[in-house]
Amino acid sequence: MLVGTQDILGKAEKNKYAVAAFNVYNLEGVIAVINAAEDTEISVILQIHPPILNKWGISLSSLCLEAAARSKIDIAVHFDHADSEKIIDQVINLGIKSIMVDGSTMEYQDNVKFTQKGTEKIHHINGFVEAELGRLSGTEDGLTVPERDARMTNPDQLIDFYLKTKIDALAVCVGNVHGKYLHNPNIDFLRLERIRNNISIPLVMHGASGLSEDIVRRSINIGISKFNINTELRNGYIKSISNLDNLDILDIMDKSIMEMTKIAIGKIRLFSSI
Ligand code: 13P
């Protein structure tokens, strides 16, 4: 059944586990994620993000909403990294009510204004808003320690950010990075604790591909209730179609669905069993 992100995160927070949010690109990805939720009987979030919006956003969002509505398990559909008003309007028009308003590349005051405006729009349709304070790197390579710290979520500034924007969930920057971790992830757990102490809304960790079980467990214990996964699922798809042995199209689709379902089940179990 299609439900709101707030419903899924609320249940996870109450039961002290975290929800897996998967970025999907195609039919196979959507089916794999729903299969994994049904297999584990644990709710998940389907996510779409900007590069797809102008290609086949209309079709993919309809597919996600429809597949969620037909599922035996509660599923939410969320738009990840909406970084302009135009995108927010487009996404609302597509019928998606859970949106990340992403002003993280802007200067602080601009991020506040952009997030305020986006939040008002999304709350107007009774939607759910995730926003980011700090700036997630694609990689930490080449950053000095002060540069790295300056990009992280500032727990004190966060109070001002929250009071001005009234967001529903916060994406934290605590050493997590999008894509492949080139070195062992270096998560600033003390900062995460200070963030948790200063704000009580759900906390989200982007860049969750490649995080160890220990990092996941510690993060959940401090207060992370949503992990975003893109890279691992996407790589699963690419791996599954790299050796096709003259397979026909339906077999190829099955192969990639099976591979991605296996990865999604692993993540759902990891995030919910701690
Ligand atoms: P990964 O690509 O590291 O899995 O991160 C996904 C993400 O954070 C999407 O918002």
Side-chain angles (χ1 to χ4, degrees):
M1 183 173 133
L2 175 66
V3 298
T5 296
Q6 62 275 22
D7 303 316
I8 293 183
L9 293 187
K11 194 169 155 203
E13 282 203 310
K14 215 164 92 201
N15 295 295
K16 303 215 176 318
Y17 65 89
V19 174
F22 297 102
N23 290 61
V24 289
Y25 295 76
N26 58 12
L27 173 70
E28 292 91 315
V30 174
I31 294 179
V33 170
I34 301 257
N35 281 353
E38 293 187 344
D39 187 275
T40 55
E41 300 189 345
I42 293 172
S43 294
V44 295
I45 301 171
L46 283 166
Q47 292 192 152
I48 302 175
H49 62 294
I52 291 170
L53 192 62
N54 292 327
K55 280 180 176 278
W56 43 84
I58 298 177
S59 309
L60 189 63
S61 55
S62 306
L63 174 63
C64 288
L65 292 166
E66 177 70 18
R70 285 171 182 269
S71 173
K72 289 183 268 187
I73 301 294
D74 288 350
I75 310 276
V77 178
H78 175 82
F79 193 89
D80 199 23
H81 295 293
D83 57 5
S84 71
E85 273 193 72
K86 186 173 164 229
I87 292 185
I88 295 172
D89 292 341
Q90 260 177 293
V91 171
I92 290 175
N93 282 333
L94 291 173
I96 296 177
K97 292 178 145 197
S98 175
I99 301 174
M100 179 196 188
V101 175
D102 185 4
S104 64
T105 57
M106 302 171 187
E107 292 303 321
Y108 178 67
Q109 291 304 343
D110 293 334
N111 186 1
V112 169
K113 273 194 221 140
F114 174 65
T115 307
Q116 254 172 350
K117 211 164 170 194
T119 303
E120 273 168 28
K121 273 190 186 173
I122 297 160
H123 282 172
H124 189 67
I125 54 154
N126 292 322
F128 181 90
V129 179
E130 176 185 322
E132 180 171 316
L133 182 61
R135 184 179 304 174
L136 221 69
S137 317
T139 167
E140 294 178 319
D141 276 13
L143 291 182
T144 61
V145 173
E147 276 168 350
R148 182 176 180 264
D149 283 357
R151 287 174 178 232
M152 290 200 196
T153 307
N154 177 332
D156 301 320
Q157 196 177 42
L158 177 58
I159 299 170
D160 180 67
F161 186 74
Y162 175 67
L163 289 175
K164 288 184 173 148
T165 59
K166 310 281 191 301
I167 55 172
D168 304 303
L170 178 81
V172 296
C173 301
V174 290
N176 44 321
V177 302
H178 281 132
K180 194 171 182 323
Y181 285 86
L182 298 178
H183 306 289
N184 283 340
N186 180 9
I187 303 298
D188 187 341
F189 289 106
L190 280 177
R191 186 180 294 264
L192 186 57
E193 275 173 18
R194 286 180 60 211
I195 292 170
R196 174 74 303 167
N197 290 339
N198 282 354
I199 198 169
S200 60
I201 57 175
L203 301 179
V204 180
M205 190 170 280
H206 285 234
S209 289
L211 294 182
S212 67
E213 203 176 316
D214 179 56
I215 289 180
V216 166
R217 184 178 45 77
R218 289 179 71 183
S219 303
I220 295 174
N221 283 340
I222 297 172
I224 293 291
S225 53
K226 172 177 179 266
F227 286 100
N228 283 9
I229 298 281
N230 180 357
T231 301
E232 280 190 64
L233 203 63
R234 201 175 69 221
N235 286 348
Y237 177 80
I238 293 167
K239 188 178 136 206
S240 74
I241 58 165
S242 60
N243 179 8
L244 296 178
D245 298 328
N246 297 321
L247 292 179
D248 202 353
I249 186 161
L250 284 175
D251 299 320
I252 296 170
M253 290 175 81
D254 277 343
K255 198 167 179 254
S256 63
I257 289 170
M258 264 161 49
E259 181 64 27
M260 286 190 283
T261 303
K262 196 174 71 188
I263 294 167
I265 287 176
K267 291 298 166 192
I268 296 169
R269 293 225 166 102
L270 173 63
F271 301 152
S272 64
S273 65
I274 291 171

mmCIF file of all heavy atoms in Angstrom, residues 214-246:
data_model
loop_
_atom_site.group_PDB
_atom_site.id
_atom_site.type_symbol
_atom_site.label_atom_id
_atom_site.label_comp_id
_atom_site.label_asym_id
_atom_site.label_seq_id
_atom_site.Cartn_x
_atom_site.Cartn_y
_atom_site.Cartn_z
ATOM 1 N N ASP A 214 29.001 -2.349 11.635
ATOM 2 C CA ASP A 214 29.280 -1.622 12.875
ATOM 3 C C ASP A 214 28.858 -0.147 12.750
ATOM 4 O O ASP A 214 28.217 0.408 13.646
ATOM 5 C CB ASP A 214 30.782 -1.726 13.176
ATOM 6 C CG ASP A 214 31.136 -0.967 14.432
ATOM 7 O OD1 ASP A 214 30.527 -1.268 15.479
ATOM 8 O OD2 ASP A 214 31.981 -0.043 14.364
ATOM 9 N N ILE A 215 29.170 0.467 11.612
ATOM 10 C CA ILE A 215 28.793 1.881 11.416
ATOM 11 C C ILE A 215 27.269 2.012 11.384
ATOM 12 O O ILE A 215 26.694 2.924 11.989
ATOM 13 C CB ILE A 215 29.430 2.440 10.120
ATOM 14 C CG1 ILE A 215 30.924 2.589 10.321
ATOM 15 C CG2 ILE A 215 28.789 3.763 9.704
ATOM 16 C CD1 ILE A 215 31.673 3.131 9.122
ATOM 17 N N VAL A 216 26.621 1.072 10.697
ATOM 18 C CA VAL A 216 25.157 1.120 10.616
ATOM 19 C C VAL A 216 24.562 0.997 12.019
ATOM 20 O O VAL A 216 23.685 1.766 12.420
ATOM 21 C CB VAL A 216 24.638 -0.002 9.686
ATOM 22 C CG1 VAL A 216 23.147 -0.204 9.829
ATOM 23 C CG2 VAL A 216 24.993 0.319 8.235
ATOM 24 N N ARG A 217 25.069 0.033 12.801
ATOM 25 C CA ARG A 217 24.522 -0.206 14.148
ATOM 26 C C ARG A 217 24.708 1.035 15.030
ATOM 27 O O ARG A 217 23.775 1.507 15.662
ATOM 28 C CB ARG A 217 25.241 -1.415 14.766
ATOM 29 C CG ARG A 217 24.698 -1.836 16.114
ATOM 30 C CD ARG A 217 25.411 -3.071 16.662
ATOM 31 N NE ARG A 217 26.867 -3.013 16.521
ATOM 32 C CZ ARG A 217 27.682 -2.293 17.292
ATOM 33 N NH1 ARG A 217 27.177 -1.570 18.279
ATOM 34 N NH2 ARG A 217 28.979 -2.278 17.084
ATOM 35 N N ARG A 218 25.919 1.593 15.020
ATOM 36 C CA ARG A 218 26.171 2.783 15.858
ATOM 37 C C ARG A 218 25.306 3.955 15.409
ATOM 38 O O ARG A 218 24.784 4.710 16.232
ATOM 39 C CB ARG A 218 27.655 3.175 15.781
ATOM 40 C CG ARG A 218 28.539 2.189 16.514
ATOM 41 C CD ARG A 218 29.995 2.572 16.417
ATOM 42 N NE ARG A 218 30.338 3.760 17.199
ATOM 43 C CZ ARG A 218 31.548 4.312 17.216
ATOM 44 N NH1 ARG A 218 32.517 3.784 16.487
ATOM 45 N NH2 ARG A 218 31.788 5.391 17.943
ATOM 46 N N SER A 219 25.143 4.098 14.088
ATOM 47 C CA SER A 219 24.345 5.229 13.575
ATOM 48 C C SER A 219 22.881 5.090 14.000
ATOM 49 O O SER A 219 22.240 6.074 14.391
ATOM 50 C CB SER A 219 24.425 5.283 12.045
ATOM 51 O OG SER A 219 25.755 5.381 11.627
ATOM 52 N N ILE A 220 22.370 3.875 13.914
ATOM 53 C CA ILE A 220 20.966 3.670 14.315
ATOM 54 C C ILE A 220 20.823 3.911 15.814
ATOM 55 O O ILE A 220 19.864 4.545 16.267
ATOM 56 C CB ILE A 220 20.480 2.251 13.939
ATOM 57 C CG1 ILE A 220 20.450 2.080 12.419
ATOM 58 C CG2 ILE A 220 19.082 1.983 14.522
ATOM 59 C CD1 ILE A 220 20.119 0.687 11.933
ATOM 60 N N ASN A 221 21.788 3.434 16.591
ATOM 61 C CA ASN A 221 21.700 3.632 18.038
ATOM 62 C C ASN A 221 21.676 5.117 18.402
ATOM 63 O O ASN A 221 21.010 5.525 19.337
ATOM 64 C CB ASN A 221 22.879 2.953 18.752
ATOM 65 C CG ASN A 221 22.652 1.460 18.837
ATOM 66 O OD1 ASN A 221 21.528 0.985 18.712
ATOM 67 N ND2 ASN A 221 23.728 0.706 19.028
ATOM 68 N N ILE A 222 22.376 5.924 17.615
ATOM 69 C CA ILE A 222 22.369 7.369 17.912
ATOM 70 C C ILE A 222 21.095 8.019 17.375
ATOM 71 O O ILE A 222 20.594 8.965 17.953
ATOM 72 C CB ILE A 222 23.637 8.045 17.331
ATOM 73 C CG1 ILE A 222 24.883 7.483 18.009
ATOM 74 C CG2 ILE A 222 23.580 9.567 17.525
ATOM 75 C CD1 ILE A 222 26.199 7.942 17.386
ATOM 76 N N GLY A 223 20.535 7.511 16.279
ATOM 77 C CA GLY A 223 19.273 8.121 15.839
ATOM 78 C C GLY A 223 19.001 8.163 14.348
ATOM 79 O O GLY A 223 18.032 8.789 13.922
ATOM 80 N N ILE A 224 19.833 7.509 13.528
ATOM 81 C CA ILE A 224 19.530 7.488 12.083
ATOM 82 C C ILE A 224 18.328 6.566 11.863
ATOM 83 O O ILE A 224 18.301 5.439 12.344
ATOM 84 C CB ILE A 224 20.745 6.973 11.277
ATOM 85 C CG1 ILE A 224 21.915 7.963 11.349
ATOM 86 C CG2 ILE A 224 20.345 6.693 9.807
ATOM 87 C CD1 ILE A 224 21.714 9.291 10.630
ATOM 88 N N SER A 225 17.329 7.062 11.115
ATOM 89 C CA SER A 225 16.182 6.167 10.857
ATOM 90 C C SER A 225 15.918 5.960 9.370
ATOM 91 O O SER A 225 14.986 5.259 9.005
ATOM 92 C CB SER A 225 14.919 6.654 11.574
ATOM 93 O OG SER A 225 14.654 7.973 11.262
ATOM 94 N N LYS A 226 16.761 6.540 8.505
ATOM 95 C CA LYS A 226 16.618 6.288 7.059
ATOM 96 C C LYS A 226 18.019 6.265 6.445
ATOM 97 O O LYS A 226 18.812 7.186 6.676
ATOM 98 C CB LYS A 226 15.765 7.392 6.430
ATOM 99 C CG LYS A 226 15.673 7.387 4.898
ATOM 100 C CD LYS A 226 14.719 8.505 4.422
ATOM 101 C CE LYS A 226 14.578 8.588 2.915
ATOM 102 N NZ LYS A 226 15.485 9.556 2.285
ATOM 103 N N PHE A 227 18.318 5.205 5.703
ATOM 104 C CA PHE A 227 19.583 5.115 4.967
ATOM 105 C C PHE A 227 19.277 5.123 3.478
ATOM 106 O O PHE A 227 18.442 4.341 3.016
ATOM 107 C CB PHE A 227 20.317 3.803 5.291
ATOM 108 C CG PHE A 227 20.955 3.755 6.641
ATOM 109 C CD1 PHE A 227 20.331 3.094 7.700
ATOM 110 C CD2 PHE A 227 22.189 4.346 6.868
ATOM 111 C CE1 PHE A 227 20.927 3.030 8.946
ATOM 112 C CE2 PHE A 227 22.800 4.284 8.123
ATOM 113 C CZ PHE A 227 22.162 3.624 9.165
ATOM 114 N N ASN A 228 19.981 5.955 2.711
ATOM 115 C CA ASN A 228 19.794 6.003 1.249
ATOM 116 C C ASN A 228 20.803 5.113 0.542
ATOM 117 O O ASN A 228 22.019 5.230 0.783
ATOM 118 C CB ASN A 228 20.003 7.433 0.737
ATOM 119 C CG ASN A 228 18.816 8.324 1.029
ATOM 120 O OD1 ASN A 228 17.904 7.944 1.743
ATOM 121 N ND2 ASN A 228 18.838 9.521 0.466
ATOM 122 N N ILE A 229 20.295 4.275 -0.335
ATOM 123 C CA ILE A 229 21.151 3.358 -1.099
ATOM 124 C C ILE A 229 20.915 3.576 -2.593
ATOM 125 O O ILE A 229 19.793 3.430 -3.069
ATOM 126 C CB ILE A 229 20.802 1.884 -0.782
ATOM 127 C CG1 ILE A 229 21.046 1.547 0.681
ATOM 128 C CG2 ILE A 229 21.564 0.938 -1.714
ATOM 129 C CD1 ILE A 229 22.483 1.280 1.033
ATOM 130 N N ASN A 230 21.969 3.879 -3.294
ATOM 131 C CA ASN A 230 21.912 3.962 -4.744
ATOM 132 C C ASN A 230 23.003 3.067 -5.357
ATOM 133 O O ASN A 230 22.721 2.103 -6.063
ATOM 134 C CB ASN A 230 22.080 5.425 -5.189
ATOM 135 C CG ASN A 230 22.042 5.592 -6.699
ATOM 136 O OD1 ASN A 230 21.939 4.624 -7.448
ATOM 137 N ND2 ASN A 230 22.135 6.808 -7.174
ATOM 138 N N THR A 231 24.250 3.390 -5.065
ATOM 139 C CA THR A 231 25.388 2.744 -5.735
ATOM 140 C C THR A 231 25.340 1.210 -5.703
ATOM 141 O O THR A 231 25.535 0.561 -6.731
ATOM 142 C CB THR A 231 26.703 3.235 -5.090
ATOM 143 O OG1 THR A 231 26.741 4.661 -5.234
ATOM 144 C CG2 THR A 231 27.924 2.650 -5.769
ATOM 145 N N GLU A 232 25.082 0.636 -4.545
ATOM 146 C CA GLU A 232 25.144 -0.834 -4.465
ATOM 147 C C GLU A 232 24.071 -1.492 -5.318
ATOM 148 O O GLU A 232 24.307 -2.513 -5.960
ATOM 149 C CB GLU A 232 25.037 -1.298 -3.010
ATOM 150 C CG GLU A 232 26.360 -1.170 -2.279
ATOM 151 C CD GLU A 232 26.352 -1.840 -0.920
ATOM 152 O OE1 GLU A 232 26.203 -3.063 -0.825
ATOM 153 O OE2 GLU A 232 26.487 -1.103 0.076
ATOM 154 N N LEU A 233 22.878 -0.898 -5.329
ATOM 155 C CA LEU A 233 21.789 -1.485 -6.124
ATOM 156 C C LEU A 233 22.084 -1.316 -7.619
ATOM 157 O O LEU A 233 21.898 -2.224 -8.418
ATOM 158 C CB LEU A 233 20.476 -0.790 -5.752
ATOM 159 C CG LEU A 233 19.196 -1.553 -6.023
ATOM 160 C CD1 LEU A 233 19.125 -2.832 -5.200
ATOM 161 C CD2 LEU A 233 17.971 -0.698 -5.706
ATOM 162 N N ARG A 234 22.552 -0.129 -7.967
ATOM 163 C CA ARG A 234 22.871 0.169 -9.373
ATOM 164 C C ARG A 234 23.976 -0.761 -9.880
ATOM 165 O O ARG A 234 23.894 -1.312 -10.964
ATOM 166 C CB ARG A 234 23.317 1.624 -9.455
ATOM 167 C CG ARG A 234 23.204 2.196 -10.831
ATOM 168 C CD ARG A 234 23.528 3.658 -10.842
ATOM 169 N NE ARG A 234 24.919 3.925 -10.588
ATOM 170 C CZ ARG A 234 25.382 4.901 -9.827
ATOM 171 N NH1 ARG A 234 24.537 5.716 -9.219
ATOM 172 N NH2 ARG A 234 26.656 5.089 -9.646
ATOM 173 N N ASN A 235 25.005 -0.960 -9.031
ATOM 174 C CA ASN A 235 26.099 -1.858 -9.426
ATOM 175 C C ASN A 235 25.594 -3.291 -9.570
ATOM 176 O O ASN A 235 26.085 -4.047 -10.407
ATOM 177 C CB ASN A 235 27.238 -1.807 -8.406
ATOM 178 C CG ASN A 235 28.022 -0.511 -8.533
ATOM 179 O OD1 ASN A 235 27.859 0.224 -9.509
ATOM 180 N ND2 ASN A 235 28.851 -0.205 -7.559
ATOM 181 N N GLY A 236 24.626 -3.659 -8.747
ATOM 182 C CA GLY A 236 24.037 -4.996 -8.848
ATOM 183 C C GLY A 236 23.386 -5.181 -10.205
ATOM 184 O O GLY A 236 23.526 -6.219 -10.850
ATOM 185 N N TYR A 237 22.693 -4.158 -10.654
ATOM 186 C CA TYR A 237 22.045 -4.216 -11.976
ATOM 187 C C TYR A 237 23.102 -4.365 -13.078
ATOM 188 O O TYR A 237 23.009 -5.238 -13.935
ATOM 189 C CB TYR A 237 21.216 -2.942 -12.194
ATOM 190 C CG TYR A 237 20.570 -2.883 -13.559
ATOM 191 C CD1 TYR A 237 19.398 -3.586 -13.806
ATOM 192 C CD2 TYR A 237 21.133 -2.150 -14.590
ATOM 193 C CE1 TYR A 237 18.798 -3.550 -15.056
ATOM 194 C CE2 TYR A 237 20.545 -2.110 -15.839
ATOM 195 C CZ TYR A 237 19.381 -2.809 -16.065
ATOM 196 O OH TYR A 237 18.782 -2.786 -17.306
ATOM 197 N N ILE A 238 24.127 -3.506 -12.996
ATOM 198 C CA ILE A 238 25.161 -3.518 -14.049
ATOM 199 C C ILE A 238 25.865 -4.878 -14.078
ATOM 200 O O ILE A 238 26.066 -5.461 -15.143
ATOM 201 C CB ILE A 238 26.161 -2.358 -13.824
ATOM 202 C CG1 ILE A 238 25.426 -1.033 -14.046
ATOM 203 C CG2 ILE A 238 27.369 -2.468 -14.753
ATOM 204 C CD1 ILE A 238 26.170 0.196 -13.572
ATOM 205 N N LYS A 239 26.157 -5.418 -12.884
ATOM 206 C CA LYS A 239 26.826 -6.728 -12.812
ATOM 207 C C LYS A 239 25.932 -7.800 -13.446
ATOM 208 O O LYS A 239 26.399 -8.653 -14.205
ATOM 209 C CB LYS A 239 27.093 -7.059 -11.338
ATOM 210 C CG LYS A 239 27.940 -8.286 -11.143
ATOM 211 C CD LYS A 239 28.201 -8.526 -9.653
ATOM 212 C CE LYS A 239 28.021 -10.014 -9.362
ATOM 213 N NZ LYS A 239 27.643 -10.301 -8.008
ATOM 214 N N SER A 240 24.635 -7.721 -13.154
ATOM 215 C CA SER A 240 23.723 -8.780 -13.611
ATOM 216 C C SER A 240 23.597 -8.817 -15.136
ATOM 217 O O SER A 240 23.272 -9.842 -15.699
ATOM 218 C CB SER A 240 22.338 -8.599 -12.986
ATOM 219 O OG SER A 240 21.677 -7.510 -13.594
ATOM 220 N N ILE A 241 23.838 -7.702 -15.793
ATOM 221 C CA ILE A 241 23.692 -7.713 -17.253
ATOM 222 C C ILE A 241 25.040 -7.734 -17.972
ATOM 223 O O ILE A 241 25.110 -7.543 -19.172
ATOM 224 C CB ILE A 241 22.832 -6.522 -17.759
ATOM 225 C CG1 ILE A 241 23.435 -5.190 -17.327
ATOM 226 C CG2 ILE A 241 21.388 -6.655 -17.298
ATOM 227 C CD1 ILE A 241 22.857 -4.008 -18.079
ATOM 228 N N SER A 242 26.107 -7.970 -17.194
ATOM 229 C CA SER A 242 27.423 -7.924 -17.845
ATOM 230 C C SER A 242 27.778 -9.251 -18.524
ATOM 231 O O SER A 242 28.661 -9.302 -19.351
ATOM 232 C CB SER A 242 28.508 -7.512 -16.849
ATOM 233 O OG SER A 242 28.533 -8.449 -15.817
ATOM 234 N N ASN A 243 27.100 -10.327 -18.148
ATOM 235 C CA ASN A 243 27.370 -11.612 -18.814
ATOM 236 C C ASN A 243 26.031 -12.255 -19.152
ATOM 237 O O ASN A 243 25.397 -12.888 -18.301
ATOM 238 C CB ASN A 243 28.193 -12.498 -17.869
ATOM 239 C CG ASN A 243 28.473 -13.846 -18.498
ATOM 240 O OD1 ASN A 243 28.185 -14.057 -19.683
ATOM 241 N ND2 ASN A 243 29.022 -14.754 -17.726
ATOM 242 N N LEU A 244 25.588 -12.073 -20.373
ATOM 243 C CA LEU A 244 24.205 -12.447 -20.691
ATOM 244 C C LEU A 244 24.046 -13.805 -21.382
ATOM 245 O O LEU A 244 22.923 -14.310 -21.484
ATOM 246 C CB LEU A 244 23.546 -11.350 -21.543
ATOM 247 C CG LEU A 244 23.433 -10.022 -20.786
ATOM 248 C CD1 LEU A 244 22.822 -8.959 -21.676
ATOM 249 C CD2 LEU A 244 22.601 -10.172 -19.528
ATOM 250 N N ASP A 245 25.126 -14.402 -21.796
ATOM 251 C CA ASP A 245 25.062 -15.763 -22.385
ATOM 252 C C ASP A 245 23.888 -15.951 -23.350
ATOM 253 O O ASP A 245 23.118 -16.920 -23.206
ATOM 254 C CB ASP A 245 24.929 -16.827 -21.270
ATOM 255 C CG ASP A 245 26.126 -16.831 -20.349
ATOM 256 O OD1 ASP A 245 27.223 -16.524 -20.844
ATOM 257 O OD2 ASP A 245 25.942 -17.105 -19.152
ATOM 258 N N ASN A 246 23.723 -15.072 -24.276
ATOM 259 C CA ASN A 246 22.644 -15.165 -25.272
ATOM 260 C C ASN A 246 21.238 -15.239 -24.677
ATOM 261 O O ASN A 246 20.348 -15.872 -25.243
ATOM 262 C CB ASN A 246 22.831 -16.389 -26.185
ATOM 263 C CG ASN A 246 24.111 -16.259 -26.971
ATOM 264 O OD1 ASN A 246 24.447 -15.150 -27.413
ATOM 265 N ND2 ASN A 246 24.833 -17.343 -27.115
#
